[in-house]
Amino acid sequence: MPVYSPQEIEKKWQAHWKTHQTFKADNHSSKPKYYVLDMFPYPSGAGLHVGHPLGYIASDIVARYQRLQGRNVLHPMGFDSFGLPAEQYAIQTGQHPAVTTEKNIETYIRQLQQLGFSYDWSREVRTSDPQYYKWTQWIFLQLFNSWYNLDTDKAEHIRTLQEKFAASGSAGVRAAGEAEDRHDFTAGQWQSFTEKQKLAAVLPYRLAYQQDTYVNWCAGLGTVLSNDEVKDGLSERGGYPVERRLMPQWNLRITAYADRLLQGLNTLDWPDAVKEMQRNWIGKSIGAEVTFPVQGHEGADIKVYTTRVDTIYGATFLVLAPEHELVDQLTTPAQRGAVDEYIAATKRRSERDRMSDVKHVSGVFTGAYAANPVDGAPVPIWLADYVLAGYGTGAVMAVPSGDQRDYLFAKHFDLPIPAISDAQKDLDQQADPTKEGRYINSGIVNGMGYKEATATLIAFLEEKGLGKGKVNFRLRDAIFGRQRYWGEPIPVYYKDGTAYGVAEADLPLVLPEIDEYKPTEHGEPPLGRATDWKYRGQHEFELSTMPGWAGSSWYYLRYMDPENPDRFVSEEAEKYWGQVDLYMGGAEHATGHLLYSRFWYLFLKDLGLVTGTEPFQKLINQGMILGRSNFVYRLIYKVGQVENGELKSVVEALSLGIPPIFISKDRLDSIQNDGGGMLIGELSGELHKHIQDYAPQSGTIQYTVEPLNRHELATPLHVDVSIVNNDVLDKEAFKKWRPDYNSAEFVKDDGRYLCGWEVEKMSKAKFNVVNPDVLVAQYGADALRLYEMFLGPLEQFKPWNTNGITGVGSFLKKFWRLFHPEDGALAVTDEPATPAELKTLHRVIQKVAHDIEKFSFNTSVSTFMIAVNELTALGTHKRAVLEPLTLLLSPFAPHLAEELWAELGHAPGSISQAAYPEFREEFLVEANVTYPVAINGKVRDQRQFAATATAAEIETAIRESDFLARFGEGKAVKKVVVVPGRMVNVVV
């Protein structure tokens, strides 16, 4: 096969790798291990676009390189196959989500395999496989049956807690969680409790527990949504209204691990930005919990957490979350209507919207007052949606002179803003949070500085029983239930209203078949439709399923031992593979998947089930490939209805059934830049003629174009880039693309419609995705792999331009022709390499190793291109150069490398077992050095000397040469300055 045919070569080697399981990793190897992992994908129906493989290509290069370095490499792939999209499709079509998911996975596997990734497919896992989620359920049961002992600073089995209760009751038990949720009892009382009472007493200590929790409830989808799935009060999928609702939910007590999660970040080789995002999300702060008694409501105390207890005298109002449990009790009759209206409006906003909206001030007065615990001053109690019930205590001590958000609230509602420090400035314009100066208007701490005042106030509050010093975290416990069908069933059943864990021997608890995939008529989750679905035929199961992140929180462990029926991972396999050495994935998972995975791993560590300290040692966030979007421009114009010469109405043209009219980008620009208005008048005339064809004139009624606004002339609309070539639209294809455009018209149609363009995120919604299948069919997978790496540094965002791949394709053909000159027969010789050839080769050996170790793949591709150009110019066809060069290229272009490796006489498919070429620095040392030679600093000539020549030898050679006779003008030489390896300067 003398002509390079990537499609033929690639199919050949992909089949070979699959048949021979070339990349199968061994759990029993004397080689050092290397575990490289991709964040596994959710298999959507759209398949991959060219932006998706970027990280996969990079991790595959590393995996192949590490094999050449003699390591036993684990490089697996699987699928995060539970999720809402498949369920929504099932609701719309009635097709079981498993069918859709299986079809999507088949597409993904085909696309991944055709790109030549060296995955060990024997280890593939799918979170929706019952043999996988059996162990997800098993881990949940371990959480359900554990509590966090603050004395030992780790999770323990619930039996150790019950033993403490039996011995000494609840006194002295230090457990993670809120003490307010628990009841005090003696050992004697514990012994007298019924089974149900004991379980109720234990529940608030469990790491997996039920609690009424505010959630994002979407009635249109019939499920709870995460904050990420809500945009502007609507569900991201479908655009249905979402409201905050108090519902019983399963939660995982991730807050027990807050401090360990924070400290562990210091040991990780992760991007600083990701670590900082997790630190901020965990949000450790040191402050005080303060109690504000409510006036006129005995026992109705409001607790707030503050990091600035020193400012308490400046607290001129309290702000409660609209969902706060005391709101109904505190609201006065006069304020009831306003409060109810405000709460209803708040329910339509997500937590994320409420937290991020700093521009708009809103709130409502409850009519009630609390007493400031330090001086008894009345403090009005307000509601505002920027306070969240699930964060802290759901109440804020508002100090407007020291906090800008409180300041804006106070300004808006005309509340007092007293100064509390003599160092505060410009309080008529903004808040000043300074800790400098001395306190004023502050009772017992007047004249004190920050540290003294803080200590004094905490001591005072503790003495009065109205507060205490406290370390707090922003991190909240993770809501674990979803009212969906397509997820892992939570292995819990109910007996007499009490939750019990399913016996481990009864796992997996498999999803039952149901008739429809939406909630029941009574509002129960879809699992409520299952018939005869009871635990051991008697007890009702939990009807919620687990969230999507459950299965992805531990999948990296299952890859180590995916077929084990008796354990989620064997002790031997876990100990051998240990931590993931390189984890590749998107930064968008920083406070979701990455945090939950660390939490589950630390929990498993507490139980002695894993041996490391963290799951992922090194993390790289690949950048995003940006698409080049194209736009068409639909004219915005109105039509006036004229009857008997009088304008009766003005309507949008589209409302009259007039087809959409599009204007080319070049003409649109001309009109908008036309100061004289001649072009817009010309356009008006064209449109007037146009509407006559669709809104015919009659004797009494006529239609005319209303005056056009050149600055709001057209609406840009995304158009599929596949029907645009060099920004020129295929108009016939455009009309067929969408039914609403099949009668589209183009003003002043001269046969060419020019689209606009913009570089933005590659997305199906923007119609700017490029299917890798098309590029692989045209250029080959190796070309696509190299091109994506060549686009720029891995971590950066990079614009996509399909035209650029042709250059990489040409490079691969040039590489092929080093072996097959002029696409002829193999012409590799056994001649020894010249110094110039060895210099080129060893420069590549050194550079590629350095680049891969530093994850700088784009510069490696450049190095290959330069080397091939040099070797082509040298006419190189020598095995001594081309064989190691093929090894170097193999991580980047594995199909071409395998083909050439076999042609060189090696066993088919054996390049992965070869050794990385040895770098020898002596081949980069120059034999001779060319020196510029100057007279009084002005270069006159160049002379070549041996690289080993001394300064004295060079000076002697210059003095004895004809250089002085030619350029010295007969002047005497004062001295000769030699800078070794750089230059010679003769001073005359």
Side-chain angles (χ1 to χ4, degrees):
M1 183 178 53
V3 176
Y4 173 51
S5 175
Q7 292 77 10
E8 183 179 343
I9 289 173
E10 289 168 4
K11 288 178 181 177
K12 168 185 172 181
W13 290 108
Q14 288 161 16
H16 179 96
W17 296 332
K18 184 176 181 180
T19 301
H20 294 83
Q21 292 190 296
T22 302
F23 309 113
K24 187 172 183 178
D26 192 348
N27 283 0
H28 308 278
S29 175
S30 59
K31 295 180 179 180
K33 68 92 182 181
Y34 192 87
Y35 187 175
V36 55
L37 180 64
D38 298 305
M39 289 185 186
F40 69 168
Y42 174 80
S44 70
L48 297 174
H49 61 64
V50 295
H52 292 130
L54 180 68
Y56 302 156
I57 296 169
S59 65
D60 194 58
I61 290 170
V62 173
R64 289 176 178 275
Y65 169 77
Q66 292 294 343
R67 292 190 188 96
L68 296 178
Q69 294 291 341
R71 293 182 174 88
N72 182 29
V73 175
L74 175 56
H75 188 35
M77 175 50 71
F79 299 96
D80 191 7
S81 49
F82 274 131
L84 187 58
E87 181 160 342
Q88 284 304 112
Y89 188 75
I91 292 172
Q92 295 163 9
T93 65
Q95 186 178 71
H96 197 287
V99 176
T100 308
T101 300
E102 177 65 31
K103 182 179 178 182
N104 294 346
I105 288 176
E106 288 176 3
T107 299
Y108 268 64
I109 290 177
R110 176 187 61 77
Q111 290 185 304
L112 291 169
Q113 288 181 339
Q114 78 173 3
L115 288 169
F117 297 132
S118 60
Y119 293 129
D120 179 356
W121 285 105
S122 71
R123 295 175 184 257
E124 179 199 341
V125 300
R126 303 178 184 186
T127 57
S128 58
D129 180 352
Q131 294 310 308
Y132 178 86
Y133 69 70
K134 165 186 176 178
W135 296 106
T136 309
Q137 293 172 334
W138 181 84
I139 294 172
F140 171 84
L141 288 176
Q142 309 315 303
L143 287 157
F144 180 69
N145 290 319
S146 297
W147 68 295
Y148 199 92
N149 187 342
L150 292 176
D151 289 329
T152 59
D153 197 24
K154 69 175 188 176
E156 297 179 5
H157 195 279
I158 209 75
R159 77 172 72 90
T160 65
L161 176 67
Q162 293 167 326
E163 290 168 357
K164 287 179 178 289
F165 289 164
S168 55
S170 60
V173 173
R174 297 181 64 247
E178 295 297 329
E180 291 81 358
D181 298 332
R182 299 161 182 164
H183 300 290
D184 295 329
F185 49 84
T186 66
Q189 289 173 315
W190 169 261
Q191 298 291 357
S192 67
F193 283 171
T194 64
E195 178 187 34
K196 185 172 183 177
Q197 287 174 321
K198 286 183 176 180
L199 290 173
V202 166
L203 179 63
Y205 293 84
R206 295 182 187 271
L207 292 183
Y209 64 95
Q210 274 184 310
Q211 186 180 65
D212 286 345
T213 306
Y214 278 97
V215 296
N216 298 315
W217 171 251
C218 179
L221 295 175
T223 188
V224 168
L225 300 178
S226 69
N227 285 331
D228 290 337
E229 295 169 319
V230 182
K231 306 294 181 186
D232 300 321
L234 302 175
S235 63
E236 187 176 36
R237 180 168 292 274
Y240 298 105
V242 176
E243 67 174 59
R244 299 289 292 165
R245 180 182 290 186
L246 191 64
M247 296 178 65
Q249 284 290 336
W250 282 96
N251 295 263
L252 297 188
R253 205 179 299 279
I254 189 175
T255 51
Y257 288 84
D259 208 42
R260 287 168 64 185
L261 289 168
L262 199 60
Q263 296 304 317
L265 291 171
N266 298 327
T267 69
L268 299 178
D269 184 7
W270 287 18
D272 289 339
V274 173
K275 291 198 284 188
E276 193 60 25
M277 287 171 71
Q278 288 208 357
R279 288 189 183 102
N280 292 336
W281 193 260
I282 296 168
K284 183 176 182 178
S285 59
I286 299 174
E289 187 175 78
V290 183
T291 300
F292 283 73
V294 179
Q295 295 180 348
H297 294 271
E298 189 68 30
D301 296 333
I302 294 174
K303 291 187 176 182
V304 303
Y305 176 80
T306 177
T307 58
R308 294 294 306 273
V309 69
D310 57 298
T311 66
I312 193 168
Y313 282 96
T316 56
F317 58 101
L318 294 179
V319 184
L320 305 186
E323 306 92 345
H324 195 284
E325 59 185 5
L326 291 178
V327 170
D328 187 61
Q329 180 182 346
L330 301 183
T331 302
T332 63
Q335 292 296 109
R336 176 67 60 185
V339 167
D340 288 347
E341 182 179 344
Y342 188 77
I343 291 173
T346 300
K347 287 182 178 180
R348 296 190 288 270
R349 304 188 72 198
S350 71
E351 282 191 354
R352 178 162 294 183
D353 290 340
R354 288 164 59 180
M355 292 172 67
S356 61
D357 185 5
V358 296
K359 295 181 179 179
H360 303 100
V361 177
S362 70
V364 64
F365 180 42
T366 64
Y369 291 83
N372 191 314
V374 291
D375 62 5
V379 181
I381 303 170
W382 287 70
L383 306 186
D385 63 5
Y386 72 84
V387 182
L388 305 176
Y391 287 82
T393 63
V396 169
M397 176 186 88
V399 181
S401 70
D403 180 273
Q404 186 62 19
R405 197 158 201 172
D406 296 343
Y407 180 90
L408 294 174
F409 193 95
K411 280 286 188 182
H412 186 80
F413 291 106
D414 198 23
L415 298 169
I417 308 176
I420 51 171
S421 167
D422 60 12
Q424 287 179 313
K425 299 176 181 178
D426 303 323
L427 291 183
D428 58 331
Q429 301 174 38
Q430 62 186 3
D432 184 352
T434 183
K435 296 178 182 179
E436 304 298 324
R438 299 288 170 177
Y439 289 93
I440 59 175
N441 304 320
S442 295
I444 62 173
V445 295
N446 272 336
M448 294 183 185
Y450 168 71
K451 289 185 178 180
E452 184 185 5
T454 299
T456 300
L457 286 166
I458 290 176
F460 175 83
L461 291 168
E462 289 179 345
E463 180 186 345
K464 300 294 184 183
L466 292 171
K468 59 182 178 180
K470 186 178 181 182
V471 175
N472 204 32
F473 294 91
R474 181 175 177 270
L475 182 69
R476 299 294 93 196
D477 283 342
I479 297 173
F480 197 66
R482 296 290 187 269
Q483 287 62 53
R484 300 175 182 166
Y485 172 73
W486 193 233
E488 300 93 335
I490 294 177
V492 165
Y493 66 94
Y494 295 91
K495 184 171 68 174
D496 298 328
T498 298
Y500 290 79
V502 168
E504 291 179 12
D506 293 328
L507 298 179
L509 174 58
V510 179
L511 274 173
E513 296 292 330
I514 58 176
D515 58 347
E516 288 187 274
Y517 306 103
K518 55 187 180 183
T520 69
E521 291 76 9
H522 303 294
E524 295 175 315
L527 287 181
R529 296 179 174 277
T531 56
D532 301 322
W533 191 53
K534 292 185 178 181
Y535 186 53
R536 298 182 177 177
Q538 300 180 63
H539 306 294
E540 300 291 338
F541 281 116
E542 168 63 49
L543 299 181
S544 295
T545 53
M546 299 185 193
W549 54 264
S552 65
S553 291
W554 72 281
Y555 75 110
Y556 53 93
L557 293 168
R558 190 61 177 173
Y559 279 143
M560 299 176 184
D561 194 18
E563 302 297 328
N564 193 326
D566 303 318
R567 205 172 187 272
F568 71 105
V569 59
S570 72
E571 294 181 59
E572 183 182 19
E574 190 280 326
K575 187 174 182 180
Y576 176 73
W577 291 111
Q579 289 179 303
V580 173
D581 296 285
L582 173 64
Y583 198 20
M584 189 80 70
E588 66 273 15
H589 299 292
T591 56
H593 161 66
L594 288 170
L595 200 58
Y596 296 137
S597 296
R598 295 181 62 218
F599 159 43
W600 279 38
Y601 192 85
L602 291 175
F603 169 69
L604 294 172
K605 172 75 172 178
D606 287 349
L607 299 191
L609 299 172
V610 294
T611 55
T613 54
E614 287 278 348
F616 317 118
Q617 179 55 36
K618 183 171 183 63
L619 173 72
I620 292 180
N621 298 136
Q622 78 274 11
M624 189 181 294
I625 287 184
L626 304 174
R628 192 177 190 275
S629 301
N630 280 117
F631 298 88
V632 291
Y633 299 87
R634 187 175 64 201
L635 283 171
I636 303 171
Y637 69 103
K638 296 181 179 180
V639 174
Q641 181 179 348
V642 180
E643 186 173 357
N644 297 325
E646 183 180 349
L647 181 65
K648 293 292 185 181
S649 64
V650 176
V651 296
E652 292 288 345
L654 291 175
S655 69
L656 294 175
I658 298 174
I661 304 173
F662 296 88
I663 184 168
S664 185
K665 181 67 166 65
D666 49 354
R667 190 169 185 215
L668 176 64
D669 289 344
S670 296
I671 291 173
Q672 291 181 333
N673 294 328
D674 175 27
M678 293 180 60
L679 295 177
I680 202 165
E682 180 182 297
L683 178 62
S684 296
E686 291 177 52
L687 292 176
H688 185 74
K689 293 178 182 178
H690 181 80
I691 65 172
Q692 290 177 345
D693 296 331
Y694 296 96
Q697 322 295 302
S698 70
T700 58
I701 300 176
Q702 293 184 321
Y703 295 93
T704 183
V705 177
E706 285 297 294
L708 299 174
N709 181 347
R710 70 163 60 85
H711 301 296
E712 296 178 2
L713 194 59
T715 300
L717 302 171
H718 283 91
V719 62
D720 195 326
V721 295
S722 68
I723 58 176
V724 180
N725 184 26
N726 288 328
D727 295 333
V728 176
L729 179 70
D730 181 336
K731 290 182 289 188
E732 292 307 312
F734 175 71
K735 291 181 179 181
K736 295 175 183 177
W737 175 50
R738 281 174 39 176
D740 50 329
Y741 291 161
N742 60 11
S743 59
E745 297 284 344
F746 304 88
V747 296
K748 197 176 182 181
D749 185 0
D750 60 359
R752 178 178 175 275
Y753 184 96
L754 188 68
C755 295
W757 65 272
E758 186 176 319
V759 174
E760 53 187 349
K761 178 182 178 181
M762 192 172 282
S763 164
K764 184 180 177 183
K766 301 179 187 298
F767 307 108
N768 64 352
V769 299
V770 178
N771 190 330
D773 295 359
V774 176
L775 298 179
V776 169
Q778 186 172 357
Y779 300 99
D782 285 343
L784 180 59
R785 289 169 63 110
L786 279 167
Y787 182 56
E788 293 215 8
M789 293 297 96
F790 187 54
L791 285 173
L794 180 63
E795 296 90 346
Q796 292 184 8
F797 284 25
K798 297 167 281 287
W800 179 265
N801 183 354
T802 298
N803 296 331
I805 199 172
T806 56
V808 174
S810 298
F811 156 73
L812 290 172
K813 290 177 182 176
K814 288 184 88 170
F815 193 94
W816 174 265
R817 287 170 185 154
L818 292 174
F819 298 76
H820 297 271
E822 299 181 2
D823 289 337
L826 184 69
V828 177
T829 72
D830 291 324
E831 298 176 63
T834 65
E837 291 170 331
L838 288 172
K839 178 181 177 183
T840 294
L841 171 64
H842 283 267
R843 191 165 58 232
V844 179
I845 293 173
Q846 182 187 43
K847 186 77 167 92
V848 168
H850 175 270
D851 286 351
I852 294 179
E853 296 283 356
K854 297 295 184 183
F855 309 99
S856 180
F857 307 108
N858 59 312
T859 51
S860 282
V861 178
S862 300
T863 298
F864 283 127
M865 291 177 172
I866 293 168
V868 167
N869 286 338
E870 291 176 354
L871 295 175
T872 299
L874 292 169
T876 301
H877 305 297
K878 298 168 184 174
R879 176 184 297 272
V881 176
L882 299 185
E883 189 168 271
L885 195 64
T886 301
L887 278 172
L888 296 172
L889 185 66
S890 63
F892 296 81
H895 307 90
L896 174 59
E898 286 277 25
E899 181 70 17
L900 296 173
W901 189 250
E903 286 192 353
L904 289 171
H906 298 282
S910 65
I911 198 167
S912 295
Q913 284 76 51
Y916 191 84
E918 179 187 0
F919 169 64
R920 293 175 59 182
E921 190 169 3
E922 63 263 30
F923 291 123
L924 300 187
V925 176
E926 297 283 355
N928 296 301
V929 178
T930 300
Y931 282 79
V933 185
I935 292 281
N936 291 342
K938 186 174 183 179
V939 175
R940 296 287 192 172
D941 197 7
Q942 288 186 338
R943 297 292 171 107
Q944 199 171 72
F945 298 97
T948 56
T950 65
E953 291 171 339
I954 293 172
E955 179 178 349
T956 299
I958 289 293
R959 288 180 180 275
E960 293 176 353
S961 72
D962 63 349
F963 176 78
L964 292 171
R966 292 171 58 201
F967 304 108
E969 299 178 356
K971 296 178 181 179
V973 176
K974 293 182 179 180
K975 62 179 177 177
V976 176
V977 180
V978 178
V979 181
R982 298 282 302 278
M983 69 171 296
V984 178
N985 183 36
V986 179
V987 181
V988 297

